[in-house]
Amino acid sequence: MINYKYDMIVQIRFDVEGINYFSSQTCRKIRAMNTKTQFAPSPTGNFIRTIIQEDIDAGRVPGKVVTRFPPEPNGYLHIGHAKSICLNFGLAEEFGGECNLRFDDTNPAKEDQEYVDAIKEDVQWLGFQWAGDVHYASSYFDQFYDWAIHLIKQGKAYVCDLTPEQASEYRGWATKPGKDSPFRNRSVEENLSLLEKMQQGDFDEGFCVLRAKIDMASPNMNMRDPILYRIRKESHHQTGDKWCIYPSYDFAHGQEDAIEGITHSICTLEFQDHRPLYEWFTENLPVPSKPKQYEFGRLNINYTVTSKRKLKQLVDEDIVAGWNDPRMPTISGMRRRGYTVAAIRSFCDGLAVAKTDGVVDIAQLEFEIRNDLNANAARAMCVLNPLKVSITNAPESVEWLEVANHPQQEAMGKRSLPFTKNIYIDASDFSEDTSLSRKKFKRLVIGDYVRLRGAYVIKADDVIKNDKGEVIEIIASLVPDTIGQNPPPEMKPRGVIHWVSVTEGKEVELRLYDRLFLAEAPGKETDNYLDDVNPDSIKVIKAFAEPSIVNCDPETVFQFEREGYFVSDRYDHSVDTPVFNLTIGLRDTSKK
Ligand code: ATP
Ligand code: MG
């Protein structure tokens, strides 16, 4: 049974631009919570699922449903991409179809093999497998070039020598029609010869571009003779130095889908206005299929930025320690933080797939993390702020106690916990103030009793202080026969506290992470999101942990009792240098 706190749910706010993003989801979860930790995809709130089902029912999908996830390898994937991944791979799976992983690698200046590798790893870590080999837009460069020639031959593309400034002036703006370029009426022969020269490297970067000949007066700016090819004398991570001209994203994207036979091309809302252009291309080119595009709202999360450009800046300016810094909302950062696949997927599956952008409360993601870890993380003890306790009547030798790894899940087994004469408790778990009520302070008070988790009830008899009058040691005694048994009523413990043996415990490094941004909408008030960076988002401390956890593999999440969830660091943890990252506290303490 999951100990599910109703008040955690009501803290989650639903005010997403007038859309109630979570209410039905949340209700469903409240009902399901006591029996389940993972959820099937939401049966509601996804208009794309409905479209696919209708297409299948009407016989419009003769073969399999084919979707794709098309990242540009110019950064690591973030939580927003996770939504798109879960949607694309999830729908393909649901309808017995396939999902491709395709790199939209048309801009070599910003791309890198490092990103390609990281993206593949992240998709697989989330538990998805793409159909067949990874695809690359760059594998279709020959085809795109042939199609550029095809458009020129049809009189539908031309080489334009306007400078970028002139081109922008000729383009007009939303309410002002553009003007035709003076190069618009070049002959087919001249255009073919100029394109060839571009391709051979005869011109400098920026000297000219290839443009589609559509309509300079179109109300849709994307239709005002958009760029098809530009000169970029850049090496490409996949094609090397084969090309010095590269297709624009717009000229590539829709045709990539057409080549791959994508049945449902799902993208975010900002591409809605590009759809008429993609359709113009598929109408004017001999493409093998005509995919339809559907747009959904991007995932934005408060206290977070989800833009690769901004995340890259955080990395480049050393504000974080890399793309996989545990504070980053990247998939690799969340992984390193100890966020689980089940929790991330449950979060994504619970999001509405709607036709509007919205902001989701980070508490919803954090709720999923806690929920999963509460059910599945083994318990262990670690003292963050140690205060020594000497138990006068404890045996001299180590007493090995058997304790359950999880209070509800017997299958998680037991471990041996060493109890010794000298132990550490957390300094905040002790008080000399005997007037503190038992109800308010359920910890150790001088002259009173407390239970050590999994061990004895002890009584604090005396304290030793340093020159400054600070307590540096507690002298205590244990009540015999109280392991797993209650003491006599007059010795009733105030509460249960965690502890670690001084001699058998191990020193560990804890990296205590907090939110990276202090503002709900980073940059909204300050105009520069960097001004909202939390200067205290990481604190590194030494702590004492029970010895069993030090041997764990990297990426093992524990609940350190009464402290929070911690994961052994994916890269830095070892038996000799144990390092644990704070995944998340036990409950939401953020002030709202
Ligand atoms: P960014 O703005 O962070 O650079 P992008 O859209 O340029 O993101 P791509 O690599 O082009 O990044 O994205 C790959 C896929 O992921 C696209 O289909 C895109 O629509 C989707 N995607 C990106 N960001 C989000 C988001 N915040 N929410 C949902 N889907 C997203
Ligand atoms: Mg993009």
Side-chain angles (χ1 to χ4, degrees):
M1 278 260 292
I2 296 151
N3 181 7
Y4 184 79
K5 293 224 166 53
Y6 181 75
D7 60 354
M8 284 164 75
I9 304 174
V10 282
Q11 280 177 17
I12 299 162
R13 292 169 313 144
F14 307 123
D15 51 341
V16 187
E17 289 192 358
I19 305 162
N20 188 335
Y21 257 51
F22 293 119
S23 63
S24 65
Q25 287 297 321
T26 309
C27 296
R28 191 169 58 85
K29 284 183 185 177
I30 293 168
R31 284 197 306 275
M33 195 54 67
N34 285 336
T35 50
K36 275 203 208 167
T37 56
Q38 286 192 34
F39 307 98
S42 149
T44 55
N46 181 340
F47 73 96
I48 299 174
R49 172 184 289 117
T50 312
I51 290 171
I52 297 179
Q53 189 61 60
E54 283 167 4
D55 285 349
I56 291 172
D57 294 346
R60 286 189 290 265
V61 190
K64 282 182 180 172
V65 168
V66 187
T67 58
R68 84 287 176 269
F69 174 64
E72 182 180 0
N74 60 353
Y76 282 53
L77 300 180
H78 52 62
I79 183 71
H81 294 111
K83 176 178 179 183
S84 176
I85 291 170
C86 289
L87 184 61
N88 279 293
F89 282 92
L91 287 171
E93 216 162 78
E94 198 180 326
F95 288 102
E98 288 182 347
C99 181
N100 292 350
L101 174 63
R102 184 212 311 140
F103 288 100
D104 246 324
D105 53 350
T106 54
N107 185 3
K110 294 195 168 162
E111 297 164 6
D112 202 281
Q113 184 65 37
E114 177 195 347
Y115 302 135
V116 171
D117 296 338
I119 289 169
K120 282 163 41 180
E121 183 179 74
D122 287 346
V123 171
Q124 283 178 321
W125 180 71
L126 285 175
F128 295 110
Q129 187 56 51
W130 48 88
D133 292 335
V134 170
H135 298 246
Y136 293 89
S138 53
S139 335
Y140 314 134
F141 282 174
D142 285 316
Q143 177 69 80
F144 296 156
Y145 188 72
D146 288 348
W147 280 339
I149 291 172
H150 180 93
L151 287 178
I152 291 176
K153 287 184 175 162
Q154 303 288 310
K156 289 173 180 161
Y158 62 99
V159 174
C160 178
D161 303 353
L162 291 179
T163 64
E165 297 73 35
Q166 290 169 330
S168 129
E169 198 195 309
Y170 272 79
R171 246 180 125 216
W173 51 85
T175 51
K176 180 176 184 263
K179 291 185 295 191
D180 286 359
S181 159
F183 304 99
R184 203 173 196 258
N185 293 318
R186 278 175 160 159
S187 69
V188 169
E189 289 67 34
E190 191 183 1
N191 281 317
L192 287 175
S193 140
L194 286 170
L195 178 64
E196 197 179 344
K197 285 193 171 130
M198 280 171 70
Q199 190 258 54
Q200 283 168 351
D202 292 355
F203 302 128
D204 289 339
E205 271 191 28
F207 181 77
C208 57
V209 294
L210 182 72
R211 296 174 71 174
K213 195 190 278 189
I214 307 179
D215 179 6
M216 286 307 289
S218 170
N220 183 340
M221 299 287 284
N222 295 303
M223 303 299 273
R224 294 187 189 173
D225 293 10
I227 293 176
L228 306 182
Y229 265 98
R230 51 210 168 6
I231 303 167
R232 286 264 188 287
K233 301 205 165 161
E234 293 269 356
S235 237
H236 187 285
H237 50 100
Q238 303 301 319
T239 56
D241 292 323
K242 179 172 177 192
W243 297 92
C244 65
I245 58 171
Y246 290 96
S248 63
Y249 179 85
D250 278 347
F251 186 53
H253 190 78
Q255 283 86 282
E256 294 158 20
D257 285 344
I259 292 169
E260 293 177 12
I262 303 301
T263 56
H264 297 82
S265 170
I266 304 165
C267 66
T268 35
L269 279 177
E270 69 271 24
F271 294 105
Q272 196 161 12
D273 290 346
H274 297 238
R275 188 176 355 118
L277 176 58
Y278 300 161
E279 287 173 357
W280 187 89
F281 288 134
T282 50
E283 272 154 31
N284 286 284
L285 290 169
V287 288
S289 74
K290 294 188 176 176
K292 284 200 88 172
Q293 173 176 297
Y294 304 94
E295 305 87 12
F296 71 98
R298 288 176 82 85
L299 169 63
N300 301 300
I301 303 187
N302 62 4
Y303 297 99
T304 309
V305 298
T306 44
S307 141
K308 277 187 276 185
R309 184 182 60 75
K310 290 180 182 168
L311 296 175
K312 187 168 189 308
Q313 193 179 4
L314 293 170
V315 174
D316 291 346
E317 297 188 12
D318 292 328
I319 293 163
V320 293
W323 286 95
N324 60 16
D325 184 300
R327 291 165 291 179
M328 291 280 270
T330 51
I331 294 175
S332 53
M334 293 189 290
R335 174 177 180 177
R336 199 168 170 193
R337 180 86 179 247
Y339 286 18
T340 59
V341 171
I344 295 171
R345 285 183 57 167
S346 180
F347 169 73
C348 290
D349 289 342
L351 296 168
V353 177
K355 276 196 169 285
T356 35
D357 284 330
V359 182
V360 171
D361 196 326
I362 185 120
Q364 178 69 12
L365 175 60
E366 294 176 345
F367 162 78
E368 295 287 357
I369 307 297
R370 286 194 184 93
N371 184 40
D372 184 39
L373 293 180
N374 182 41
N376 299 309
R379 277 31 175 186
M381 290 195 279
C382 181
V383 173
L384 274 61
N385 187 11
L387 174 61
K388 193 173 160 188
V389 181
S390 298
I391 303 166
T392 46
N393 61 340
E396 293 297 329
S397 56
V398 178
E399 183 178 0
W400 289 93
L401 309 172
E402 285 270 279
V403 291
N405 286 328
H406 194 284
Q408 283 93 31
Q409 294 211 38
E410 243 178 85
M412 288 179 78
K414 292 184 171 177
R415 67 189 189 283
S416 295
L417 183 66
F419 179 74
T420 53
K421 218 173 161 61
N422 294 320
I423 62 167
Y424 289 126
I425 64 167
D426 198 276
S428 65
D429 282 339
F430 175 72
S431 175
E432 285 187 279
D433 182 357
T434 52
S435 71
L436 282 172
S437 81
R438 290 180 73 90
K439 221 175 166 185
K440 247 186 158 172
F441 195 75
K442 298 180 175 171
R443 309 170 190 199
L444 187 59
V445 171
I446 194 88
D448 210 347
Y449 296 84
V450 84
R451 176 176 288 285
L452 299 175
R453 167 77 77 204
Y456 295 95
V457 171
I458 60 164
K459 179 183 175 212
D461 298 314
D462 203 354
V463 292
I464 299 176
K465 294 185 178 177
N466 64 10
D467 296 347
K468 289 182 233 156
E470 297 157 350
V471 176
I472 52 165
E473 190 173 334
I474 300 167
I475 308 297
S477 49
L478 62 76
V479 183
D481 302 324
T482 48
I483 295 180
Q485 291 192 54
N486 285 330
E490 68 276 15
M491 295 181 183
K492 188 171 187 263
R494 281 179 171 246
V496 183
I497 62 171
H498 61 290
W499 58 279
V500 167
S501 158
V502 170
T503 43
E504 301 297 311
K506 303 281 182 203
E507 192 180 74
V508 297
E509 176 176 313
L510 298 187
R511 299 176 181 167
L512 306 177
Y513 294 105
D514 199 356
R515 281 179 186 160
L516 190 52
F517 292 98
L518 291 171
E520 185 158 356
K524 192 176 174 195
E525 303 289 322
T526 50
D527 272 352
N528 180 359
Y529 73 101
L530 293 180
D531 293 341
D532 290 320
V533 167
N534 177 2
D536 299 315
S537 58
I538 178 170
K539 204 167 112 194
V540 180
I541 64 165
K542 294 284 178 206
F544 281 89
E546 60 175 279
S548 65
I549 65 160
V550 167
N551 294 317
C552 72
D553 291 333
E555 305 198 86
T556 311
V557 192
F558 294 96
Q559 184 193 101
F560 287 169
E561 303 230 20
R562 303 179 62 240
E563 294 291 358
Y565 297 98
F566 284 81
V567 65
S568 48
D569 189 73
R570 186 175 173 202
Y571 302 105
D572 301 337
H573 171 84
S574 71
V575 179
D576 298 324
T577 57
V579 179
F580 292 87
N581 302 326
L582 173 62
T583 306
I584 196 163
L586 293 178
R587 53 194 70 81
D588 188 358
T589 52
S590 59
K591 295 167 223 85
K592 291 278 169 69

